[in-house]
């Protein structure tokens, strides 16, 4: 399975997962259709599935066009039944879904939205975290409580450290400023920031990160309890 990073809108990441044997593909969170279409047409990809982490427009904006053009099926949380149009396959927490080489486990992560899910491709050890876990940050808590978000992040923390993290937005540099302000003397964070700046200076995305890097460097994952987490989330909301 090959992963192609497709930049969408301002700072969104969409991902094409491609079965290299037959060019079948899934797209994760197509924020808009145009750049995804461009890649599909230039590379003769067969788009079969559209995977949505949550219902926000910057993650589903391309659904309709892509579904109509390629008869792709939309997979999303059963909890987003009323909010994501034309879902074909409803997913629930803990479910394993499989088609050919695409096989993932659904991890329900309420907080940013109540229907938010992550796609964990356990064979490849890759997780798509949408707007729940960013590199060096986490999503704003729009619908759930801080407790929901804290528990959701705790679930992600238990994934194998080698797991690669593909997140929804290029917020990493900004997030790093917050982390270094409130987590001084973290040498792993210093190392990560050097790496991030190198990538960005070369015009590269900071995706993917890894669970290990985030455990070491992401202040929201380093929070020891709900109280500490909530304090950080409040500080970040006003940062
Ligand atoms: Zn969102
Ligand atoms: Fe978003």
């Amino acid at each position: 399975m090959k992963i192609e990073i497709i930049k969408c809108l301002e700072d969104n990441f969409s991902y094409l997962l491609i079965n290299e044997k037959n060019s079948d593909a899934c797209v994760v969170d197509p924020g808009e259709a145009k750049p995804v279409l461009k890649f599909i047409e230039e590379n003769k990809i067969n788009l079969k599935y559209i995977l949505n982490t949550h219902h926000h427009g910057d993650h589903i904006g391309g659904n309709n066009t892509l579904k109509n053009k390629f008869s792709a099926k939309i997979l999303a949380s059963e909890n987003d039944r009323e909010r994501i149009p034309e879902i074909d396959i409803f997913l629930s927490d803990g479910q394993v879904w499989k088609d050919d080489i695409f096989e993932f486990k659904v991890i329900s992560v309420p907080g940013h939205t109540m229907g938010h899910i992550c796609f964990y491709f356990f064979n490849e050890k890759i997780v798509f975290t949408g707007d729940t876990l960013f590199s060096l940050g986490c999503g704003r808590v729009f619908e759930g409580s801080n407790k929901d978000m804290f528990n959701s992040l705790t679930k992600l923390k238990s994934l194998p450290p080698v797991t690669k993290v593909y997140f929804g937005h290029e917020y990493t540099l900004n997030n790093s400023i917050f982390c270094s302000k409130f987590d001084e003397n973290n040498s792993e964070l210093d190392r990560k920031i050097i790496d991030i700046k190198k990538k960005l200076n070369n015009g590269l995305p900071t995706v993917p990160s890894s669970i290990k890097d985030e455990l070491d460097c992401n202040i929201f994952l380093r929070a020891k309890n709900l109280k500490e987490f909530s304090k950080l989330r409040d500080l970040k909301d006003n940062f």
Side-chain angles (χ1 to χ4, degrees):
M1 191 175 94
K2 194 177 157 224
I3 302 181
E4 202 62 45
I5 301 168
I6 314 274
K7 288 187 178 179
C8 288
L9 306 169
E10 284 276 282
D11 50 27
N12 276 78
F13 289 122
S14 174
Y15 302 104
L16 267 171
L17 322 186
I18 304 161
N19 179 346
E20 288 169 286
K21 283 195 191 129
N22 57 13
S23 296
D24 282 355
C26 309
V27 65
V28 178
D29 284 355
E32 58 178 334
K34 212 175 159 195
V36 181
L37 267 175
K38 184 169 184 279
F39 187 91
I40 289 176
E41 281 165 357
E42 284 173 4
N43 294 277
K44 306 213 172 3
I45 300 292
N46 321 311
L47 185 71
K48 291 187 74 182
Y49 302 106
I50 299 166
L51 278 49
N52 294 136
T53 59
H54 65 297
H55 73 283
H56 286 160
D58 60 316
H59 297 256
I60 69 167
N63 275 18
N64 201 269
T65 304
L66 294 170
K67 176 169 175 157
N68 290 336
K69 194 157 172 84
F70 302 104
S71 305
K73 289 194 161 61
I74 298 175
L75 283 73
S77 168
E78 58 187 0
N79 298 322
D80 279 337
R81 194 177 282 272
E82 310 294 331
R83 309 203 284 187
I84 297 178
E86 294 187 63
I87 299 177
D88 296 284
I89 299 171
F90 296 98
L91 302 171
S92 56
D93 186 31
Q95 174 183 354
V96 173
W97 186 87
K98 182 174 164 48
D99 178 73
D100 201 1
I101 69 158
F102 304 116
E103 183 173 18
F104 61 79
K105 186 176 176 176
V106 179
I107 305 174
S108 166
V109 286
H112 179 69
T113 68
M114 289 316 281
H116 200 305
I117 54 175
C118 294
F119 300 99
Y120 176 42
F121 286 72
F122 46 85
N123 296 316
E124 293 86 2
K125 296 205 169 53
I126 290 170
V127 66
F128 295 90
T129 57
D131 287 358
T132 294
L133 175 63
F134 296 123
S135 185
L136 304 184
C138 73
R140 277 179 188 258
V141 180
F142 284 132
E143 295 179 5
S145 60
N146 282 334
K147 189 174 178 200
D148 289 325
M149 187 55 126
F150 181 73
N151 291 340
S152 293
L153 292 173
T154 302
K155 283 187 182 180
L156 297 176
K157 280 165 79 169
S158 71
L159 295 175
V162 296
T163 307
K164 288 201 171 109
V165 180
Y166 286 81
F167 41 90
H169 289 267
E170 182 59 274
Y171 291 158
T172 312
L173 185 64
N174 250 322
N175 288 343
S176 77
I177 298 167
F178 181 82
C179 282
S180 41
K181 176 157 186 191
F182 296 99
D183 190 9
E184 291 167 54
N185 307 317
N186 179 342
S187 58
E188 288 300 312
L189 175 62
D190 296 342
R191 177 196 56 77
K192 177 90 175 163
I193 291 174
I194 291 169
D195 184 55
I196 285 162
K197 287 187 174 161
K198 211 162 141 192
K199 281 182 177 152
L200 293 172
N201 287 337
N202 288 317
L204 298 170
T206 62
V207 79
S209 185
S210 67
I211 292 292
K212 181 185 185 305
D213 272 12
E214 296 308 314
L215 286 170
D216 288 343
C217 308
N218 185 331
I219 197 165
F220 293 96
L221 296 194
R222 286 162 61 77
K224 280 171 200 66
N225 50 47
L226 174 60
K227 200 177 153 205
E228 218 178 286
F229 173 79
S230 302
K231 196 181 155 201
L232 288 167
R233 194 55 268 175
D234 288 350
L235 281 168
K236 183 76 192 283
D237 288 345
N238 300 301
F239 190 60

